[in-house]
Amino acid sequence: MRKIDLNCDCGEGYGIYQIGQDEKIIKYVSSVNIACGLHAGDPFVIARTVQLAKEQNIAVGAHPGFPDLMGFGRREFNMTNDEIYNLIIYQIGVMQAFCKSQNIQLHHVKPHGALYNMAAKDMNLSRAIVRAIQDLDPQLIVYGLANSKLIEAADEINLPYASEVFADRVYLSDGNLMSRSIKGSVHEELENSLEQALTLITEGKVKCANGEKITLEADTLCIHGDNANAYPFVKTLRTRLQDLMINVCPVGSK
Amino acid sequence: MRKIDLNCDCGEGYGIYQIGQDEKIIKYVSSVNIACGLHAGDPFVIARTVQLAKEQNIAVGAHPGFPDLMGFGRREFNMTNDEIYNLIIYQIGVMQAFCKSQNIQLHHVKPHGALYNMAAKDMNLSRAIVRAIQDLDPQLIVYGLANSKLIEAADEINLPYASEVFADRVYLSDGNLMSRSIKGSVHEELENSLEQALTLITEGKVKCANGEKITLEADTLCIHGDNANAYPFVKTLRTRLQDLMINVCPVGSK
Amino acid sequence: MRKIDLNCDCGEGYGIYQIGQDEKIIKYVSSVNIACGLHAGDPFVIARTVQLAKEQNIAVGAHPGFPDLMGFGRREFNMTNDEIYNLIIYQIGVMQAFCKSQNIQLHHVKPHGALYNMAAKDMNLSRAIVRAIQDLDPQLIVYGLANSKLIEAADEINLPYASEVFADRVYLSDGNLMSRSIKGSVHEELENSLEQALTLITEGKVKCANGEKITLEADTLCIHGDNANAYPFVKTLRTRLQDLMINVCPVGSK
Amino acid sequence: MRKIDLNCDCGEGYGIYQIGQDEKIIKYVSSVNIACGLHAGDPFVIARTVQLAKEQNIAVGAHPGFPDLMGFGRREFNMTNDEIYNLIIYQIGVMQAFCKSQNIQLHHVKPHGALYNMAAKDMNLSRAIVRAIQDLDPQLIVYGLANSKLIEAADEINLPYASEVFADRVYLSDGNLMSRSIKGSVHEELENSLEQALTLITEGKVKCANGEKITLEADTLCIHGDNANAYPFVKTLRTRLQDLMINVCPVGSK
């Protein structure tokens, strides 16, 4: 039986600020990536979100980002690879502790925002990230953009990884995502996102901006919780996947 | 053979800011309490400080505080006990991760600043703190003010603890410290601090502000690294302790 | 003709975080209090909010608070009065600059959250606040709780002030607000808030928790933008005020 | 009579953190650039530093930087020019207020760190900066790297400016500074810095890394307060300037 993981960024509030639709979306995904307090999240938000995931019995991942609350971790930072290593240690440590305090196991690590995008293209940066993950727990699964340097770096040190694909973003023929700043880089129509998702999951292929069809491994599909369409999208997707007898479950589960 | 632990707050810099004399002091103490990033410390400072402690082969503790960099964790915060619990989980998690990444074991937890002082007097606050420590690792030792509620709360749940005493602070007859804001609450003369330290270590007694002599358990003595006298004080103290055949080693070591 | 000012806290977002219903509420009030970047607000949020107020041609006030984004300025901070003075200077300076850059005049200053509540009861703290305001611009109007120490301190140095009243909060017979943490301290029913507002505006009186009716000056009424009812409340209130021929305009306008 | 301004970055502490040697250096310079709270500085540090400058009767400038305390404003941020404009408004507003509260006039604005370096090469970024300055006070003097885009942008809108030169940094033949990350980019020997300073001040020339001698306007010379040599350097420089009958005074003074 075929299977796919659906993951969603969660716990991205801070203090009184709330964002996303965690309570609604979390029921339809099989894993969540929780912000660790530097680009979003605070100790109370993290605890609440881990508890929410535990109640739904889905996999919990750390979602480390740059220390930039005002920019929500979406601005690039120049850091040495040693600094990156420590930045990752810090944030995974936070999430391991909240998992431990609620008697669950941290399942994966997915870098956030600018860090995710930079790692996708930078082998040395990716090596710093995967080394930090391995030093803390070699069973943690790295979630990275399919075909990216982050996946390559994880593979290099035999760290488990999951190739992530996107339903609502337009791909370039080299497997990278078209930048959000370019008009038309995000599918507005639900039906387009659904079609891209299903083609990725069932065929491992995606039609790129230039019309070319490329092959991408698809272990996990990202649901953007801050997208207004996220809720209807994920509900419909689950129904279609059920019709196709495709199992939705965390990466690595049996 | 008698023994005592000498502990020192370390890793209290942030970014380019440095404070204290970590490199000098650390050679004369047997354990350090490292700031976890909320009132001081950042991922790079923490990594450097854990490494420094590892090189000296001394015990590493987490030093969690209120999230208030501008006030250095010295201002009281009104938080619910659930919030306090999560605040502690967050910060211990950070320090466990840095220890793990350098293959050492986290040894103890000592609350910082206003949190330390508030916990000393508030049983419910102390219960939230020790519960967080126990949920993460029941072998972690709680460092708290001798005779305080924090020690009482640790004892209540059978968590190991160490009673902390101070050489340079004036005591009240109930075992509390005279507030720093009161003139004369800190011994200016090195000799006075030395005498108080040695009486505490050898007799378990201290002479209070009102002349009364009270009994205090003394498992660990705090060295204030930001005190200009800290370096000559700790050097001289070590010599005196050696003369008295008193072993300086982390709490719980054999 | 009688008149009243309706004020609302605005610009309380930060980075990608949004809160309140600024665009909707702002059309029905005559003045806004804009967060200055320490408990909420960032340079971009502030600029956008000042522009919004300018477009509606309503009065702009600074809304300074404690430097505590995680606690949204609602936690008490121990600061010396000199520190408070500088905290106020900092935040008014920010708002004066954004007003200047958009060619409007800063109209008033209203402390936020815990600072507002502490000032209401503490004459020395209030003196530090009004001294800062006067040193920057003696024409700025202080918005403070009716009957409070802040109003008394402004009066003491002949700084213009406006007594603020609340429609949705229960009063104590000494003129203070019942603490939010007490059940029943906030009117849930729109009609109760409307009645309290109109009695305050037309009679200068309010019925307290103990049934007693006390007299309060009412120069400005606070609309809580983060309250779900704020929008229907303020719309209905405006209609009632129009029926009563009561003019809604900023404090001090002719 | 010839003249030169000596400027120094001051007020770069935060909370309990201190950095630089403000009290010592400030006696030998004619103007200071004070951090505004985003990359360094807090309301209390700013107030103290403005007072220090006022006591020495020297010119006070705002020293705005990126909102990155951990990176001390030395990391590049991607911001739109509208965001940069508001970032500058915010920080100048802060410094104008502290000057007003102590009855002095803000004299100039000098961008800090990465913002200074980026502005030197980016005309649109520089235009956003000078427009913010002009909108707040068209008499403020822009301090920028001699020959840079920032100077060009100020000139374009007839905003007063001062060309800044460096004594301890190696120049490239296009007038830019050799990056700090390159070995040998900073003069270690006091005598080399002194010679470069005097040649710049008396001849308006500097010998570049490639041996070439280029011409640079020199209105103001930067003293790096965080450099260990800063104090002996500036003391000796003042003596030499006195011998040469060169007046040390703020830019624009008569």
Side-chain angles (χ1 to χ4, degrees):
Chain A
M1 189 186 185
R2 283 168 307 170
K3 61 182 187 174
I4 184 75
D5 175 44
L6 303 184
N7 80 74
C8 179
D9 301 348
C10 283
E12 297 189 316
Y14 185 82
I16 61 155
Y17 298 120
Q18 299 189 328
I19 201 168
Q21 318 164 63
D22 291 8
E23 281 81 1
K24 285 175 78 175
I25 303 287
I26 216 165
K27 292 179 183 155
Y28 295 91
V29 297
S30 43
S31 68
V32 287
N33 324 300
I34 303 180
C36 306
L38 298 196
H39 71 274
D42 67 43
F44 328 119
V45 169
I46 297 171
R48 213 161 48 219
T49 313
V50 170
Q51 192 183 351
L52 207 58
K54 184 185 175 182
E55 286 164 8
Q56 296 296 327
N57 199 25
I58 59 178
V60 169
H63 198 35
F66 284 118
D68 178 20
L69 187 66
M70 200 193 285
F72 196 59
R74 289 182 175 158
R75 294 194 280 229
E76 299 198 351
F77 270 61
N78 295 321
M79 288 189 169
T80 67
N81 291 329
D82 269 0
E83 288 174 326
I84 293 288
Y85 173 88
N86 290 320
L87 194 70
I88 300 298
I89 294 288
Y90 187 100
Q91 295 182 69
I92 297 178
V94 165
M95 205 53 62
Q96 284 181 317
F98 281 97
C99 285
K100 178 82 173 70
S101 84
Q102 302 198 25
N103 291 310
I104 62 173
Q105 188 77 26
L106 185 65
H107 172 265
H108 67 273
V109 178
K110 172 181 163 180
H112 167 84
L115 186 60
Y116 182 91
N117 295 330
M118 290 168 74
K121 297 176 186 170
D122 181 338
M123 191 64 183
N124 286 325
L125 174 57
S126 289
R127 281 184 178 124
I129 293 172
V130 297
R131 188 163 54 85
I133 297 170
Q134 193 172 56
D135 284 355
L136 288 182
D137 179 357
Q139 305 208 313
L140 285 169
I141 303 167
V142 185
Y143 280 33
L145 183 68
N147 250 0
S148 70
K149 295 296 179 196
L150 186 59
I151 295 297
E152 199 179 324
D155 193 37
E156 194 178 68
I157 61 170
N158 293 315
L159 198 63
Y161 61 83
S163 292
E164 184 179 39
V165 292
F166 292 81
D168 57 351
R169 296 286 300 275
V170 173
Y171 277 88
L172 301 175
S173 56
D174 64 357
N176 276 309
L177 301 173
M178 186 182 283
S179 167
R180 267 177 194 275
S181 60
I182 297 172
K183 220 187 123 136
S185 64
V186 178
H187 295 312
E188 303 287 345
E189 296 298 321
L190 197 67
E191 205 45 54
N192 291 345
S193 296
L194 277 169
E195 192 193 319
Q196 182 161 317
L198 291 169
T199 316
L200 278 161
I201 295 169
T202 57
E203 304 176 27
K205 290 188 190 306
V206 68
K207 204 169 152 188
C208 300
N210 66 357
E212 205 181 322
K213 209 161 182 178
I214 63 168
T215 301
L216 285 180
E217 254 184 276
D219 299 318
T220 184
L221 178 90
C222 179
I223 309 295
H224 284 118
D226 54 349
N227 187 317
N229 271 332
Y231 184 63
F233 170 76
V234 76
K235 269 185 71 171
T236 315
L237 180 62
R238 290 287 309 234
T239 309
R240 303 259 180 109
L241 290 171
Q242 198 170 357
D243 295 346
L244 293 164
M245 310 249 302
I246 295 173
N247 194 19
V248 174
C249 59
V251 175
S253 64
K254 283 141 205 169
Chain B
M1 190 187 186
R2 282 169 307 171
K3 62 182 185 174
I4 185 74
D5 175 43
L6 303 182
N7 80 74
C8 180
D9 300 347
C10 282
E12 296 189 316
Y14 186 82
I16 60 156
Y17 298 120
Q18 299 188 328
I19 201 167
Q21 319 164 63
D22 291 7
E23 281 81 0
K24 286 175 77 174
I25 303 286
I26 215 165
K27 291 178 183 153
Y28 296 91
V29 296
S30 43
S31 67
V32 287
N33 324 302
I34 304 181
C36 306
L38 298 196
H39 72 274
D42 67 42
F44 329 119
V45 169
I46 297 171
R48 214 162 47 221
T49 312
V50 169
Q51 193 183 352
L52 207 59
K54 184 185 176 181
E55 286 164 8
Q56 295 296 326
N57 200 25
I58 59 179
V60 169
H63 197 36
F66 284 118
D68 179 19
L69 187 65
M70 200 192 285
F72 196 59
R74 288 183 176 158
R75 293 194 281 230
E76 299 198 351
F77 270 61
N78 294 321
M79 288 188 168
T80 66
N81 291 328
D82 269 0
E83 288 175 326
I84 292 288
Y85 174 88
N86 290 320
L87 194 71
I88 301 298
I89 294 288
Y90 187 100
Q91 297 183 67
I92 298 178
V94 165
M95 205 53 62
Q96 284 181 317
F98 281 97
C99 285
K100 178 80 173 72
S101 84
Q102 302 198 25
N103 291 312
I104 62 174
Q105 188 76 26
L106 185 65
H107 173 265
H108 67 273
V109 177
K110 172 181 163 181
H112 166 83
L115 186 60
Y116 182 92
N117 295 330
M118 289 166 75
K121 297 175 187 170
D122 182 337
M123 192 63 184
N124 286 325
L125 174 57
S126 289
R127 281 184 178 125
I129 294 173
V130 298
R131 188 164 54 86
I133 297 171
Q134 192 173 54
D135 284 355
L136 288 182
D137 178 357
Q139 305 208 314
L140 286 169
I141 303 165
V142 184
Y143 280 32
L145 184 68
N147 252 1
S148 69
K149 295 296 179 195
L150 186 60
I151 295 297
E152 199 178 324
D155 194 35
E156 193 178 68
I157 60 168
N158 294 314
L159 198 64
Y161 62 83
S163 292
E164 184 178 40
V165 292
F166 293 81
D168 57 352
R169 296 288 298 276
V170 173
Y171 277 87
L172 301 175
S173 56
D174 63 358
N176 278 308
L177 301 173
M178 185 182 284
S179 167
R180 268 178 194 274
S181 60
I182 296 172
K183 221 188 122 138
S185 64
V186 177
H187 294 311
E188 303 287 343
E189 296 298 321
L190 197 67
E191 206 44 55
N192 291 345
S193 296
L194 277 169
E195 193 192 319
Q196 181 161 315
L198 291 169
T199 315
L200 277 161
I201 295 169
T202 58
E203 303 177 27
K205 290 188 190 304
V206 68
K207 204 169 152 190
C208 300
N210 67 357
E212 207 181 320
K213 211 162 181 176
I214 63 168
T215 301
L216 286 180
E217 255 185 272
D219 301 316
T220 183
L221 178 91
C222 179
I223 309 295
H224 284 119
D226 55 349
N227 187 318
N229 270 333
Y231 184 62
F233 170 76
V234 76
K235 270 186 71 170
T236 314
L237 180 63
R238 291 288 307 235
T239 309
R240 302 263 180 107
L241 291 171
Q242 198 170 358
D243 295 347
L244 292 164
M245 309 249 301
I246 295 173
N247 194 19
V248 174
C249 60
V251 174
S253 65
K254 284 139 203 171
Chain C
M1 191 184 184
R2 283 169 306 170
K3 61 182 187 176
I4 185 74
D5 176 43
L6 303 182
N7 80 74
C8 180
D9 300 349
C10 282
E12 297 190 316
Y14 185 83
I16 61 154
Y17 299 121
Q18 298 189 328
I19 202 169
Q21 319 165 63
D22 291 7
E23 282 81 0
K24 284 175 80 174
I25 303 286
I26 216 166
K27 291 178 183 155
Y28 295 91
V29 297
S30 43
S31 66
V32 287
N33 324 301
I34 303 180
C36 306
L38 298 195
H39 71 274
D42 67 41
F44 329 120
V45 170
I46 297 171
R48 213 162 47 221
T49 313
V50 169
Q51 192 182 353
L52 208 57
K54 184 185 175 181
E55 286 164 8
Q56 295 295 327
N57 199 25
I58 59 178
V60 169
H63 198 36
F66 284 118
D68 179 19
L69 187 64
M70 200 192 283
F72 195 58
R74 288 183 176 157
R75 293 194 280 230
E76 299 199 350
F77 270 61
N78 294 321
M79 289 188 168
T80 65
N81 291 328
D82 269 0
E83 288 174 326
I84 292 288
Y85 174 88
N86 291 320
L87 194 71
I88 301 298
I89 293 288
Y90 187 99
Q91 296 183 66
I92 298 178
V94 164
M95 206 52 62
Q96 284 181 317
F98 281 97
C99 285
K100 178 82 173 71
S101 84
Q102 301 198 26
N103 290 311
I104 62 173
Q105 188 77 25
L106 185 65
H107 173 264
H108 67 274
V109 177
K110 172 181 163 181
H112 167 84
L115 186 60
Y116 182 91
N117 294 330
M118 291 167 74
K121 297 176 187 171
D122 183 337
M123 191 64 184
N124 286 327
L125 174 56
S126 289
R127 282 184 177 124
I129 294 173
V130 298
R131 189 164 53 86
I133 298 171
Q134 191 172 56
D135 284 355
L136 288 182
D137 178 358
Q139 306 207 311
L140 286 169
I141 301 166
V142 186
Y143 280 33
L145 184 67
N147 251 2
S148 69
K149 294 297 179 195
L150 186 59
I151 295 296
E152 198 178 324
D155 194 36
E156 194 178 68
I157 61 169
N158 293 315
L159 199 62
Y161 62 83
S163 293
E164 184 178 40
V165 291
F166 293 82
D168 57 352
R169 296 287 300 276
V170 173
Y171 278 87
L172 302 174
S173 56
D174 64 357
N176 277 308
L177 302 172
M178 186 182 285
S179 167
R180 267 177 194 275
S181 60
I182 297 172
K183 220 188 123 136
S185 63
V186 177
H187 295 310
E188 303 288 343
E189 297 298 322
L190 197 68
E191 204 46 53
N192 291 345
S193 295
L194 277 169
E195 192 192 319
Q196 181 161 316
L198 291 169
T199 316
L200 278 161
I201 295 169
T202 58
E203 303 177 26
K205 290 188 190 304
V206 69
K207 205 169 152 188
C208 299
N210 66 357
E212 204 180 324
K213 210 161 181 176
I214 63 167
T215 301
L216 285 180
E217 255 184 274
D219 300 317
T220 182
L221 179 92
C222 179
I223 309 295
H224 284 118
D226 54 349
N227 188 316
N229 271 332
Y231 184 62
F233 170 75
V234 74
K235 269 186 72 171
T236 315
L237 180 62
R238 290 287 311 232
T239 309
R240 303 260 181 109
L241 291 171
Q242 199 168 357
D243 295 347
L244 293 164
M245 309 250 301
I246 295 173
N247 194 19
V248 174
C249 59
V251 175
S253 64
K254 283 139 203 172
Chain D
M1 191 186 184
R2 283 169 306 171
K3 62 182 186 175
I4 185 74
D5 175 44
L6 303 182
N7 79 74
C8 179
D9 300 348
C10 282
E12 296 189 318
Y14 185 82
I16 63 154
Y17 298 121
Q18 299 189 327
I19 201 167
Q21 319 165 62
D22 290 8
E23 281 81 1
K24 285 175 78 174
I25 302 286
I26 215 166
K27 292 178 184 156
Y28 295 91
V29 297
S30 42
S31 67
V32 287
N33 323 301
I34 303 180
C36 307
L38 297 195
H39 71 275
D42 67 40
F44 328 119
V45 169
I46 297 170
R48 214 163 45 223
T49 312
V50 169
Q51 192 183 352
L52 207 59
K54 184 185 174 179
E55 286 164 8
Q56 295 295 328
N57 200 24
I58 60 179
V60 169
H63 198 35
F66 284 118
D68 179 19
L69 188 65
M70 200 192 285
F72 196 58
R74 287 182 175 159
R75 294 195 281 230
E76 299 198 351
F77 271 61
N78 294 319
M79 287 188 170
T80 66
N81 291 328
D82 268 0
E83 288 174 326
I84 292 289
Y85 173 88
N86 290 320
L87 194 71
I88 301 298
I89 294 287
Y90 187 100
Q91 296 182 67
I92 298 178
V94 165
M95 206 53 63
Q96 284 181 318
F98 281 98
C99 285
K100 179 79 174 71
S101 84
Q102 301 198 25
N103 290 312
I104 62 173
Q105 188 76 27
L106 184 66
H107 174 263
H108 67 274
V109 178
K110 172 180 163 181
H112 167 84
L115 185 60
Y116 182 92
N117 294 330
M118 289 167 76
K121 297 175 186 171
D122 182 336
M123 191 62 183
N124 286 325
L125 174 57
S126 289
R127 281 183 177 126
I129 295 173
V130 298
R131 187 163 55 87
I133 298 171
Q134 193 173 53
D135 284 356
L136 287 182
D137 179 357
Q139 305 208 315
L140 286 169
I141 302 166
V142 185
Y143 280 33
L145 183 68
N147 251 0
S148 70
K149 295 296 179 195
L150 186 59
I151 295 296
E152 199 178 323
D155 194 36
E156 194 177 67
I157 60 168
N158 293 315
L159 198 63
Y161 62 84
S163 292
E164 185 178 39
V165 292
F166 293 81
D168 57 352
R169 295 289 298 278
V170 173
Y171 277 88
L172 302 175
S173 56
D174 64 357
N176 277 309
L177 301 172
M178 185 181 285
S179 167
R180 267 177 193 275
S181 60
I182 297 171
K183 221 189 121 132
S185 64
V186 178
H187 295 309
E188 303 287 344
E189 296 298 322
L190 197 68
E191 206 44 55
N192 291 346
S193 296
L194 277 169
E195 193 192 319
Q196 181 161 316
L198 291 169
T199 315
L200 277 162
I201 294 170
T202 57
E203 303 177 29
K205 290 188 190 304
V206 69
K207 204 168 153 189
C208 299
N210 66 358
E212 205 181 322
K213 209 162 183 178
I214 62 168
T215 300
L216 285 180
E217 253 183 276
D219 300 318
T220 183
L221 179 90
C222 179
I223 309 294
H224 285 118
D226 55 349
N227 187 318
N229 270 333
Y231 184 62
F233 170 75
V234 76
K235 270 186 70 172
T236 315
L237 179 62
R238 289 288 307 236
T239 310
R240 302 260 181 108
L241 290 172
Q242 197 170 358
D243 295 347
L244 292 164
M245 310 248 301
I246 294 173
N247 194 19
V248 174
C249 59
V251 174
S253 64
K254 283 139 205 173

